[in-house]
Amino acid sequence: MAKGLLAFLFCAVAASARCERIAVSPTAGRWHRARTSGGATTVGGATAAPTQPQGDNNARAATTADADAAANAVATGTSVVCLSEIPGINMNGSLTSSTGTDDKAAIQAVLNTASPSAPLFLILDGVSAIDTSGGGLLLKSYTTIHGLGRNTGLSWLGGTNTNQVPLLQNANPLGTGAPTDTDIALENFTINGNMTAGHGNGGGNPYSGKLFLSNVRLVGVARLRMCGLRSYHSTGYGFHLANITDAYIENTRVENGGQNSDGIHVNGPASNVVIDHVSGVAGDDMIALTADDCHEQYSSCQGAYGDNSLPSTVKQGAITRVVVSNVFLENSYGGWRLLSGGNPIDDVTIRNVSGTVYSIIGYMDRFTFGSSNFGAINIEDIDVVPTRLDGSAFSTGGSFRQLNMNLTCKDHTVTNNYGLIGTSGSTAIQTLNLRVACSNSNGLPSPLLVMSTGATVGTLNLSGTYDPNGGSTNGTNPLIYLSGGTITNLLLSDLVADHINNLVQNFGGSISTVTLSGGSHTNAGGNATVLNSSGTISNLVIAGFSSSLYSSGTIGSVSGGCR
């Protein structure tokens, strides 16, 4: 899927972290490398850049040359408009405060001109303030808004009006079904949400009246492209997407710190989505994929995204064929959330996530109502250090067909009794493939996987390494711990473990068969590889595994080695 989608929505990022210009071809109906049209469009100067976060290498003032280059790199037939040239424009907004004069009407008049025969290419060569009382900016099909770096963009004016809405929305929202709006691109600019200024609420409250806000809300869009955007101090979500297909989101910077302030929040239905290179801090989940959400279920947030009786409002549905990669977390509340209450989430890959969090790394669970429906979920190359944990680093619940996890465990001071990977009574995983690279000099702060009462795993394959990184302290927490629950087949294959007391501890669960194959357990201090203190282990099969003491406690049968 990823290669096909990348070929369909090609995006190149230069060393300067800028997106290469890609225009819309109304005839081909797809993204393509732009052809240069006739003459250049000249614009005036732009506002100075505010202080940018560390690591943001777009931090310089926009220049006339930047605007000229952008204007010259669009497809023939595209209408190019610069913000500074719009009649009646004030362009006196701020990316650090809620100041300026409302430019919504002037900009909307330009946005209304977009059409399949005359796509719009709007260049933000400065900063405009927007008042969303009674309505935000509406994007039609075949619209590109292209900033000249993250020092340009839009600033959301604070106010007491309780009828405010998200700043950027699409013109024809549709919660489910084939989208009406298509070929929308947002590139290289910042949206300052001015969270503390308040939008018909107290500063930091994500609601205006009963409506949950976000800097961007796009509902029902095909061929969506978002590249080089920065969400700053968003009220609610930074980027809220629903019923999207063939979407490419790249090089996103998130600096949200408020209540429920997800970075990128996707509601189902959604398919063929790539989210690549995301950095920053979110007051909630940096990435959320929610096939089911509370807005149609509970009185506490009923209608949070609008009137549920309207087809234009966010709905619920399957989320399939999604790749999330290269995420750097700067002490965000959480890394990602996958939420299903019956609608499927399938063929999802999350890879190369690093940095720090202060609550949870990954939450993959059923919603409070119903039972989840997870298909194949791949979690690869995760190297995140928690500064605090409110529970497990990775939480699982509901039904999974297959969960693949490749994790790096490093030293940190956070301890808990939930396990790095936690389960609940609703957890039912048919196949769990777990590969680890642990280098904890004083042992794991908690077991790698804790099986709770009621949790079930059909087949658990555990491989990788446990190495104390030069330390000589034996880890007392095992890799697998059962306080309850059931594992049918537990296979420790090609697992090399050093300086850890037990690899498996059973204190009340049930395992049909444990197989030790092609690995080793050394410097265990006289402790057994498999400890059955209480509960049941029916069979232990040893095949090419090296250990000074394979098992301790009552085990039904042992074959292929000695106790």
Side-chain angles (χ1 to χ4, degrees):
M1 183 282 298
K3 290 184 178 179
L5 183 55
L6 290 175
F8 179 68
L9 297 173
F10 176 79
C11 180
V13 180
S16 64
R18 245 181 221 182
C19 296
E20 181 181 358
R21 178 66 229 124
I22 298 173
V24 177
S25 167
T27 54
R30 63 184 181 88
W31 302 100
H32 70 103
R33 287 183 177 273
R35 291 186 297 113
T36 302
S37 58
T41 301
T42 305
V43 301
T47 57
T51 301
Q52 299 290 309
Q54 184 177 4
D56 180 359
N57 44 14
N58 265 342
R60 65 178 180 81
T63 67
T64 301
D66 292 330
D68 290 346
N72 284 326
V74 298
T76 302
T78 299
S79 174
V80 179
V81 178
C82 289
L83 186 67
S84 60
E85 297 177 327
I86 297 175
I89 203 74
N90 296 287
M91 211 168 74
N92 60 358
S94 169
L95 294 182
T96 57
S97 65
S98 176
T99 59
T101 308
D102 182 25
D103 279 335
K104 181 176 67 178
I107 295 174
Q108 188 63 58
V110 173
L111 294 175
N112 290 341
T113 66
S115 69
S117 60
L120 173 65
F121 188 82
L122 174 61
I123 298 174
L124 300 184
D125 54 333
V127 180
S128 272
I130 305 296
D131 180 358
T132 72
S133 300
L137 291 174
L138 302 180
L139 309 178
K140 298 175 65 177
S141 297
Y142 301 100
T143 294
T144 295
I145 299 181
H146 178 91
L148 300 184
R150 291 176 180 165
N151 53 290
T152 63
L154 303 170
S155 178
W156 195 343
L157 289 175
T160 59
N161 187 300
T162 58
N163 294 318
Q164 298 196 42
V165 298
L167 194 152
L168 279 178
Q169 303 176 83
N170 56 307
N172 301 286
L174 188 64
T176 188
T180 300
D181 290 326
T182 182
D183 299 279
I184 292 176
L186 306 174
E187 304 172 341
N188 297 336
F189 62 89
T190 291
I191 298 179
N192 174 17
N194 279 309
M195 171 188 67
T196 58
H199 302 286
N201 50 29
N205 186 329
Y207 286 86
S208 183
K210 294 183 178 181
L211 184 69
F212 193 91
L213 299 177
S214 57
N215 279 351
V216 175
R217 177 168 294 148
L218 302 177
V219 183
V221 177
R223 296 198 295 273
L224 169 67
R225 184 169 179 274
M226 298 165 56
C227 192
L229 298 181
R230 175 185 176 224
S231 172
Y232 180 71
H233 284 196
S234 173
T235 295
Y237 307 144
F239 306 99
H240 188 189
L241 310 173
N243 191 21
I244 58 170
T245 182
D246 297 330
Y248 193 71
I249 299 114
E250 184 191 44
N251 190 26
T252 304
R253 176 76 186 171
V254 174
E255 296 171 53
N256 301 340
Q259 177 185 359
N260 301 120
S261 56
D262 291 354
I264 301 172
H265 185 105
V266 180
N267 279 94
S271 62
N272 295 345
V273 179
V274 172
I275 301 173
D276 186 39
H277 283 93
V278 179
S279 68
V281 57
D284 202 337
D285 310 299
M286 181 60 77
I287 309 290
L289 305 178
T290 56
D292 296 276
D293 214 333
C294 74
H295 65 290
E296 289 193 326
Q297 307 296 332
Y298 290 121
S299 58
S300 61
C301 57
Q302 184 80 19
Y305 303 143
D307 185 345
N308 289 329
S309 67
L310 299 177
S312 57
T313 303
V314 175
K315 304 302 180 188
Q316 301 176 146
I319 296 179
T320 60
R321 299 186 299 278
V322 178
V323 175
V324 177
S325 58
N326 301 309
V327 179
F328 183 70
L329 304 167
E330 299 171 14
N331 211 29
S332 285
Y333 176 88
W336 69 84
R337 179 184 298 260
L338 308 183
L339 200 60
S340 166
N343 281 300
I345 297 180
D346 192 12
D347 193 6
V348 170
T349 296
I350 299 174
R351 67 164 64 100
N352 194 19
V353 181
S354 59
T356 57
V357 297
Y358 70 87
S359 178
I360 188 169
I361 299 174
Y363 182 96
M364 301 164 284
D365 210 336
R366 67 190 184 103
F367 204 75
T368 308
F369 60 88
S371 60
S372 69
N373 185 358
F374 293 105
I377 309 296
N378 304 299
I379 309 298
E380 305 172 359
D381 301 323
I382 307 301
D383 186 1
V384 177
V385 176
T387 58
R388 187 191 82 189
L389 285 175
D390 292 335
S392 302
F394 303 92
S395 175
T396 65
S399 300
F400 293 77
R401 187 178 73 248
Q402 181 170 308
L403 176 59
N404 307 314
M405 302 184 72
N406 185 340
L407 309 175
T408 298
C409 315
K410 292 184 177 178
D411 283 335
H412 60 81
T413 59
V414 179
T415 61
N416 67 70
N417 297 318
Y418 303 98
L420 293 179
I421 303 171
T423 60
S424 68
S426 71
T427 302
I429 305 173
Q430 293 181 32
T431 301
L432 172 57
N433 296 312
L434 182 58
R435 184 169 184 82
V436 296
C438 295
S439 56
N440 305 73
S441 59
N442 293 309
L444 289 169
S446 63
L448 181 67
L449 171 68
V450 170
M451 291 288 293
S452 302
T453 300
T456 63
V457 174
T459 298
L460 169 55
N461 299 303
L462 176 62
S463 62
T465 60
Y466 177 95
D467 178 0
N469 196 28
S472 58
T473 301
N474 263 36
T476 57
N477 281 312
L479 297 179
I480 309 297
Y481 178 88
L482 288 83
S483 60
T486 300
I487 300 175
T488 303
N489 295 298
L490 172 56
L491 174 63
L492 279 62
S493 175
D494 299 321
L495 176 67
V496 177
D498 183 50
H499 282 96
I500 182 172
N501 287 357
N502 308 115
L503 301 189
V504 179
Q505 290 181 359
N506 185 18
F507 280 81
S510 174
I511 307 176
S512 295
T513 301
V514 178
T515 301
L516 307 177
S517 174
S520 63
H521 179 205
T522 57
N523 295 308
N527 293 283
T529 298
V530 178
L531 169 64
N532 188 45
S533 179
S534 59
T536 303
I537 298 179
S538 300
N539 301 288
L540 175 61
V541 178
I542 303 164
F545 190 92
S546 174
S547 174
S548 59
L549 182 62
Y550 289 108
S551 64
S552 176
T554 302
I555 294 178
S557 68
V558 179
S559 61
C562 56
R563 294 187 179 207

